[in-house]
Amino acid sequence: MVQTISVLGSTGSIGRQTIAVAEHLGLRVRAITTNRNVKLAEEQARKFRPAMVGVTDESAARELRTALADTDIKVWSGEHALVEAAVISDNDAVVTAVSGAVGLKPTLEAIEKGRRICLANKETLVCAGEIVMRKAQECSAEIVPVDSEHSAIFQCLTGRRKGELKKILLTGSGGPFRGWTREQTKDVTPAQAIAHPNWSMGAKISVDSATMMNKGLEFIEAMHLFSVTPDDIEVLIHPESVIHSMVELVDGTVIAQLGVPDMELPIQYALTYPRRTESLSERLDFTKLTKGLTFQAPDFEKLPCLALAIRCARTGGTAPAVMNAANEVAVHLFLDGKIGYNDIYDYVIETVETLGVSPAHDLDTLIAADHAARETVRAIHSRKG
Ligand code: NDP
Ligand code: MG
């Protein structure tokens, strides 16, 4: 049973919910990290008394060091602080709740130490899934998904033999612009894009959910987590977000996991697995599901980001890492008001086509591809800008 944890990205949406679950389960928080949210990091540090706080932003780190001067809590700065937090001594599990490919390095280092990874940061697997999964196997480190769909699939597959799985039914709500054409989405603002109908999440994943790039990233995440091919995964639009995903077994049986849309549930399960304990989550009331549960096949014409991600998943090599990094930069440009909503896809596809694909046998190749993609998006932006 996990007793002590590190939370990477403790000031974010998943991070804050993880802290609430840790409090509920009575876990010790050994390390927390933030990019630059000094105020909340200080509050969390005073409450949980971790051994260290990692702060990526150097000036925010200086500020926090001053604020915590009356305590013995160490403040580490820079990107390496994430690694220090991930591998701190005597933590049983690391919750990877940072946003973006910055989660890759600390995750790999924690795997090397054999820690359980409660994986929220899907970009890690999209960028370097084969390497991460291979290392986890070599180091006997468990990777337990936090992403609600993958937690659902993981729960549906627990106790099943590999050969019993026919296919994964990966569900997604379709986001706030379900059914909209590219023409209709052209003037979408960041505020509209981050207002998700069912889930309250960080800004980047909210935009990804609107473009459905999120489902594409989850498609690749599922391939790696469950060692399946693109042909084994079907995406299904399910606007009510009650079924979090399903598996079809070889005999035609379908197993689904249901619950209210609340990330505290999968976070708690990743921490208590294989056990279950009482949670603070609201219960599902079937009598309130008066509109029923509905399902549709995705319209790939209207969802170019999802179609592109599945194409990159099939291509393999450096393609998913390039797409992921390009998307990350493009989404931040959109959130900063520098490009339009439809430009996100245009920038990502142009980057993927410009850089092409190479085989990805090692981490350095993938990291170089990630960096090249970021540079390419910036170059496209300054050319068009
Ligand atoms: P948020 O944006 O809310 O939080 C991100 C956290 O990471 C914050 O603590 C942030 O610090 C920190 N951070 C951001 N950038 C950096 C950086 N460059 N270096 C170090 N730390 C950084 O994101 P979410 O909690 O929504 O998502 C986190 C991860 O979980 C993502 O990979 C997302 O895809 C995944 N996920 C999220 C779900 C959700 O419901 N939110 C559901 C399923 C998966 P600061 O506070 O200073 O910005
Ligand atoms: Mg999800």
Side-chain angles (χ1 to χ4, degrees), residues 23-190:
E23 195 171 10
H24 165 65
L25 295 175
L27 305 181
R28 252 178 72 218
V29 180
R30 291 277 293 148
I32 57 174
T33 78
T34 183
N35 188 20
R36 59 169 77 101
N37 189 340
V38 174
K39 191 166 171 288
L40 183 55
E42 183 189 351
E43 241 172 69
Q44 292 176 338
R46 289 197 181 276
K47 186 157 180 192
F48 290 92
R49 294 279 160 170
M52 69 159 282
V53 185
V55 186
T56 312
D57 184 272
E58 297 284 350
S59 81
R62 278 193 296 277
E63 226 184 286
L64 187 63
R65 225 169 260 134
T66 310
L68 291 176
D70 61 317
T71 72
D72 56 0
I73 302 167
K74 294 207 164 41
V75 177
W76 289 73
S77 62
E79 259 184 38
H80 194 71
L82 285 170
V83 174
E84 292 298 332
V87 301
I88 194 165
S89 61
D90 72 287
N91 65 341
D92 303 321
V94 180
V95 181
T96 64
V98 287
S99 163
V102 69
L104 176 59
K105 198 153 183 247
T107 304
L108 281 170
E109 301 256 353
I111 287 173
E112 269 188 30
K113 300 266 185 233
R115 306 290 203 269
R116 171 180 295 188
I117 307 296
C118 302
L119 186 121
N121 178 245
K122 63 192 86 185
E123 293 91 342
T124 285
L125 287 187
V126 176
C127 179
E130 272 163 40
I131 290 170
V132 171
M133 296 309 290
R134 200 182 320 128
K135 188 162 275 294
Q137 201 162 28
E138 280 165 16
C139 303
S140 304
E142 291 170 305
I143 300 194
V144 188
V146 165
D147 210 347
S148 59
E149 295 78 0
H150 305 75
S151 174
I153 298 160
F154 185 82
Q155 293 177 58
C156 294
L157 287 176
T158 297
R160 307 254 75 84
R161 281 183 297 107
K162 174 94 174 91
E164 293 175 357
L165 176 68
K166 180 78 178 171
K167 74 177 168 197
I168 287 173
L169 296 158
L170 182 68
T171 57
S173 71
F177 313 124
R178 182 165 41 88
W180 289 29
T181 60
R182 290 254 306 162
E183 181 54 29
Q184 287 170 301
T185 54
K186 73 179 187 346
D187 297 322
V188 160
T189 63

Side-chain angles (χ1 to χ4, degrees), residues 122 147-150 205 214-215 218 221 263:
K122 63 192 86 185
D147 210 347
S148 59
E149 295 78 0
H150 305 75
I205 186 178
N214 183 53
K215 210 46 57 185
E218 291 184 352
E221 183 185 11
M263 288 307 297

